[in-house]
Amino acid sequence: MTFLWPQMLLLLLLVPAVVGAYLWLLRRKKKEALRYASVSLVKQAIGPGQTVRRHLPALILLLSFVAAIFAIARPTAVVTLPSKQQTIILAIDVSLSMGARDVDPNRITAAQAAAKAFVSDHPPEVKIGIVSFGATASLVQPPTRSREELLEAIDRFQLQRGTATGSALYVALSTLFPDADIDLESLVFAGGLTRNGSRTLKQDKAKADKPPFTPVTPGSYKSGAIILLSDGRRTTGPDPLDAAKWAADHGVRVFTVGFGTAEGGTIGFEGWSAYVRLDEETLKAIADITRAEYFYAGTAADLAKVYQALNAKLVLEKKDTEITALWSAIAAAFALAAGALSLLWFRR
């Protein structure tokens, strides 16, 4: 526990003074009691077991005073709270290398199983969208709370040639920010979708009418996040680090998962072979730029554990939270308890 106003803890120096004043009052009352003709009459009036009882309300009131000082110092602590994530985008690599059988039965099947488990374990109030990417990227399932639709979308994955990691990030980001200025036509598709790759006057006017964008603190966007899984390096499409910088400027965290061997090797699938190597450097850089984390999974079991960890991380987050209200409530509870005991036992 830390304090935003630690200087206020100096008020704790008053505690010994309060205790001293209390003891002084007790001695004064004791001297007055000795004026009675018989001390035995005083002891009889007090009765057995009253010695501890008469000091207990004062002790509880002292604890209330200490708790109030802690509250004044504005304490903070790392508290595990429900995450505010409302939309999660799963971007999953469906390049041909995901058909490799170094994972039983193959990489894509293992990735599908892990993604399904992630969807099934996630809270129902969180929307999940799915992006698949090979030579290009596409939103195969818009964000939804329907688990059935999500599971069906995962089952529809089709392997493609190429790995457009940057395109996947831009598609995921455009899903989180549909009103943002992301020209998917020119970024994801070579030359764009307009004739001769040129922008239309309508597109240019819409861009000119938008107010200038002001970057935010990386990792500060709490309404959504992206989980990117890939087993290879980018072979086509925009630079994923440029997309990561765009995500960071919008505060979006991109958690990356590397699936496969970092050393690389030749894999075969349905009569073809190719050399593939996991680009851990880029995946780590994406996570670092966006203030997220990188996870490595070498087997299907590892991948399942990674998705479990991500599920827990996105459902519950540890945050440095001010707990002044808690200490104020403790102080009030002690004060009420002291007052109640004093009234119950001494009628004052």
Side-chain angles (χ1 to χ4, degrees), residues 240-279:
L241 296 184
D242 290 340
K245 293 174 183 176
W246 196 97
D249 287 343
H250 286 72
V252 179
R253 293 177 296 169
V254 181
F255 295 89
T256 56
V257 182
F259 190 35
T261 58
E263 297 79 12
T266 302
I267 63 170
F269 176 66
E270 294 184 352
W272 65 270
S273 62
Y275 177 82
V276 294
R277 179 179 178 273
L278 177 61
D279 188 1

Side-chain angles (χ1 to χ4, degrees), residues 91-97 131-138 160-172 184 187-190 228-241 243 282-283 286:
I92 300 178
D93 189 345
V94 294
S95 59
L96 289 178
S97 59
V131 172
S132 66
F133 65 98
T136 186
S138 60
Q160 309 172 19
R161 292 184 181 276
T163 305
T165 311
S167 298
L169 288 178
Y170 280 121
V171 171
L184 289 178
L187 289 171
V188 178
F189 303 97
L228 174 74
L229 172 111
S230 180
D231 73 336
R233 61 175 58 244
R234 162 198 168 225
T235 61
T236 186
D239 189 338
L241 296 184
T282 298
L283 294 177
I286 292 172

Side-chain angles (χ1 to χ4, degrees), residues 34-59:
L34 290 176
R35 296 177 183 176
Y36 285 91
S38 175
V39 177
S40 61
L41 292 177
V42 177
K43 292 183 178 180
Q44 184 178 0
I46 295 176
Q50 295 295 318
T51 303
V52 175
R53 178 180 290 188
R54 63 193 291 246
H55 298 305
L56 189 58
L59 176 60

Side-chain angles (χ1 to χ4, degrees), residues 183 185-186 189-204:
D183 186 8
E185 293 184 2
S186 61
F189 303 97
L193 295 180
T194 57
R195 182 175 297 179
N196 299 324
S198 61
R199 295 175 60 91
T200 64
L201 293 176
K202 184 178 180 180
Q203 288 174 315
D204 291 333

Side-chain angles (χ1 to χ4, degrees), residues 41-235:
L41 292 177
V42 177
K43 292 183 178 180
Q44 184 178 0
I46 295 176
Q50 295 295 318
T51 303
V52 175
R53 178 180 290 188
R54 63 193 291 246
H55 298 305
L56 189 58
L59 176 60
I60 296 176
L61 189 62
L62 180 65
L63 294 176
S64 173
F65 179 66
V66 172
I69 292 175
F70 281 154
I72 293 173
R74 298 183 63 187
T76 64
V78 177
V79 182
T80 300
L81 299 172
S83 172
K84 296 181 180 180
Q85 305 289 346
Q86 297 177 356
T87 304
I88 305 297
I89 306 298
L90 296 179
I92 300 178
D93 189 345
V94 294
S95 59
L96 289 178
S97 59
M98 287 291 286
R101 300 181 182 277
D102 55 344
V103 175
D104 188 30
N106 54 52
R107 293 182 181 181
I108 188 62
T109 302
Q112 287 173 309
K116 288 180 179 179
F118 178 88
V119 168
S120 298
D121 294 341
H122 221 67
E125 65 272 12
V126 176
K127 290 184 178 181
I128 298 178
I130 300 175
V131 172
S132 66
F133 65 98
T136 186
S138 60
L139 179 66
V140 297
Q141 176 57 58
T144 179
R145 295 185 178 91
S146 173
R147 293 184 178 179
E148 292 75 16
E149 293 180 8
L150 291 167
L151 296 178
E152 290 175 1
I154 293 172
D155 284 332
R156 292 195 299 267
F157 285 166
Q158 296 291 328
L159 298 183
Q160 309 172 19
R161 292 184 181 276
T163 305
T165 311
S167 298
L169 288 178
Y170 280 121
V171 171
L173 289 167
S174 69
T175 304
L176 287 176
F177 301 96
D179 297 327
D181 185 29
I182 303 180
D183 186 8
L184 289 178
E185 293 184 2
S186 61
L187 289 171
V188 178
F189 303 97
L193 295 180
T194 57
R195 182 175 297 179
N196 299 324
S198 61
R199 295 175 60 91
T200 64
L201 293 176
K202 184 178 180 180
Q203 288 174 315
D204 291 333
K205 185 177 185 302
K207 183 177 180 180
D209 291 341
K210 289 185 178 180
F213 170 73
T214 302
V216 300
T217 303
S220 61
Y221 182 70
K222 301 303 181 182
S223 297
I226 299 172
I227 300 175
L228 174 74
L229 172 111
S230 180
D231 73 336
R233 61 175 58 244
R234 162 198 168 225
T235 61

Side-chain angles (χ1 to χ4, degrees), residues 2-12 68-76 322 324:
T2 58
F3 299 90
L4 296 179
W5 294 349
Q7 64 274 16
M8 302 305 295
L9 294 177
L10 292 174
L11 293 174
L12 290 173
I69 292 175
F70 281 154
I72 293 173
R74 298 183 63 187
T76 64
E322 185 175 348
T324 298

